[in-house]
């Protein structure tokens, strides 16, 4: 795409406004997905806030100054922390527990602040994103790759706790659709959960993968603490205002990854 001239590529850093300004010149819509992840944020706290919050500030300010029509920001369901109710609506209590989560929530408030100066935005709180070419160090979904690797090596998948913790897995292809719908929609200045609206336990995930790969093994369990034990998105707002619903089932998506 770059060689064909369909994409203009800038080698830079979202913290450097001169590069960001060049990238935003004569641009209508901005998709802001740059961040350091949860695992790294807990080891490199200062870097996490510098990239995830200060970097977002630069992106949002540049978008405002360059008069873009809308910023679509990739936030995270991690801003909720441990949920009080399931499924989790956008109005759920917010309790971020890592530098990554705190910076994502702070970036949402930064968008609200800049809205008063004329910036339009939509913030998407992604749930447990997985799919082809996913990063191997994604906190909430690296479990898929770890399980696949062990099962294919004829080793049992290792599960923290009893395996009752649940995730709301959403395929990256559905994430792309949610971003495009957000761009095309006349809705502005809203926050949406982007998940499947269903939950899958880690035990069920392990057994699903064992069945797909076709191995005769059983998962093993270890007594380890888990950060968040439950995830299930209330997606009614996204369905009503963005006409968004997931198209890829967890099992079909997992088969593709395998």
């Amino acid at each position: 795409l770059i060689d064909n001239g369909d994409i203009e590529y800038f080698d830079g850093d979202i913290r450097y406004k001169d590069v960001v300004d060049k990238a935003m010149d004569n641009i209508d819509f901005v998709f802001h997905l740059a961040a350091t992840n949860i695992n790294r944020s807990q080891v490199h706290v200062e870097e996490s806030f510098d990239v995830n919050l200060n970097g977002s500030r630069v992106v949002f300010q540049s978008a405002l100054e360059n008069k873009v029509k809308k910023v679509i920001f990739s936030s995270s369901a991690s801003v909720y922390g441990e949920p009080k109710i399931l499924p989790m609506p956008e109005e759920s209590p917010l309790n971020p527990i890592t530098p990554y989560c705190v910076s994502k929530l702070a970036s949402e408030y930064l968008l609200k602040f800049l809205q008063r100066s004329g910036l339009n935005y939509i913030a998407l709180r992604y749930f447990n994103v997985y799919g082809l070419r996913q990063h191997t160090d994604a906190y909430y979904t690296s479990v898929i790759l770890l399980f696949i690797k062990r099962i294919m090596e004829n080793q049992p998948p290792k599960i923290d706790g009893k395996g009752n913790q649940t995730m709301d897995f959403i395929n990256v292809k559905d994430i792309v659709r949610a971003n495009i719908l957000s761009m095309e929609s006349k809705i502005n200045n809203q926050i949406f959960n982007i998940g499947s609206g269903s939950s899958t336990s880690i035990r069920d995930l392990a057994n699903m993968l064992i069945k797909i790969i076709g191995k005769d093994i059983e998962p093993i369990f270890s007594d380890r603490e888990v950060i968040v034990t439950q995830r299930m998105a209330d997606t009614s707002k996204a369905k009503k205002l963005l006409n968004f619903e997931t198209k890829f089932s967890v099992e079909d998506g997992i088969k593709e990854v395998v």
Side-chain angles (χ1 to χ4, degrees):
L1 292 173
I2 294 172
D3 291 343
N4 291 339
D6 296 322
I7 289 176
E8 188 175 4
Y9 173 76
F10 294 86
D11 188 358
D13 187 303
I14 60 167
R15 292 170 288 186
Y16 304 151
K17 192 167 181 299
D18 57 338
V19 180
V20 176
D21 282 339
K22 289 179 183 177
M24 285 202 195
D25 183 37
N26 200 32
I27 292 297
D28 291 325
F29 299 97
V30 171
F31 298 92
H32 174 29
L33 298 101
T36 62
N37 65 27
I38 287 184
N39 288 355
R40 186 170 178 85
S41 80
Q42 296 180 87
V43 179
H44 303 282
V45 176
E46 184 174 340
E47 177 200 59
S48 178
F49 283 113
D50 192 26
V51 173
N52 296 356
L53 182 54
N54 184 45
S56 292
R57 179 191 63 79
V58 172
V59 170
F60 300 157
Q61 188 65 41
S62 179
L64 180 63
E65 293 172 2
N66 282 278
K67 296 180 172 55
V68 303
K69 294 178 180 178
K70 188 187 301 185
V71 171
I72 296 91
F73 172 58
S74 58
S75 188
S76 170
S78 63
V79 300
Y80 297 119
E82 188 68 26
K84 302 296 183 184
I85 57 172
L86 289 176
M88 303 151 66
E90 286 84 355
E91 298 78 20
S92 296
L94 304 174
N95 184 33
I97 55 177
T98 70
Y100 172 89
C101 313
V102 171
S103 60
K104 284 292 187 181
L105 181 57
S107 295
E108 290 184 10
Y109 281 106
L110 187 56
L111 283 167
K112 292 178 181 179
F113 170 72
L114 292 174
Q115 176 200 341
R116 301 198 302 238
S117 298
L119 181 66
N120 289 321
Y121 71 89
I122 283 182
L124 304 178
R125 290 174 178 165
Y126 300 162
F127 276 67
N128 306 118
V129 187
Y130 75 97
L132 297 181
R133 296 184 294 277
Q134 75 179 68
H135 199 289
T136 57
D137 193 34
Y139 179 84
Y140 289 108
T141 51
S142 59
V143 61
I144 295 174
L145 301 186
L146 292 173
F147 282 4
I148 290 173
K149 184 177 180 181
R150 287 186 63 85
I151 294 167
M152 294 183 78
E153 293 174 347
N154 294 307
Q155 299 180 39
K158 292 181 179 179
I159 297 177
D160 293 343
K162 297 180 180 179
N164 295 328
Q165 61 269 34
T166 61
M167 294 187 181
D168 185 333
F169 289 111
I170 177 167
N171 195 288
V172 68
K173 295 176 183 178
D174 282 321
I175 290 289
V176 172
R177 286 182 45 252
N179 275 268
I180 299 299
L181 286 170
S182 298
M183 179 190 72
E184 295 173 341
S185 172
K186 290 182 171 59
I187 298 292
N188 289 322
N189 310 321
Q190 294 287 337
I191 296 171
F192 295 97
N193 286 334
I194 301 298
S196 69
S198 61
S199 61
T200 303
S201 74
I202 299 303
R203 182 193 291 113
D204 288 344
L205 172 67
N207 289 327
M208 185 189 306
L209 286 166
I210 290 169
K211 180 181 177 182
I212 290 171
I213 296 172
K215 298 289 185 179
D216 185 19
I217 51 180
E218 295 286 335
I220 57 177
F221 301 87
S222 62
D223 186 17
R224 284 183 58 186
E225 184 180 356
V226 294
I227 291 182
V228 175
T229 59
Q230 294 178 305
R231 278 280 181 264
M232 185 193 297
D234 181 338
T235 59
S236 56
K237 182 179 178 181
K239 180 179 180 180
K240 179 180 179 181
L241 297 183
L242 296 179
N243 196 30
F244 171 77
E245 290 183 280
T246 55
K247 291 186 176 181
F248 296 90
S249 70
V250 174
E251 187 163 2
D252 288 343
I254 293 294
K255 283 180 181 177
E256 187 178 45
V257 173
V258 170

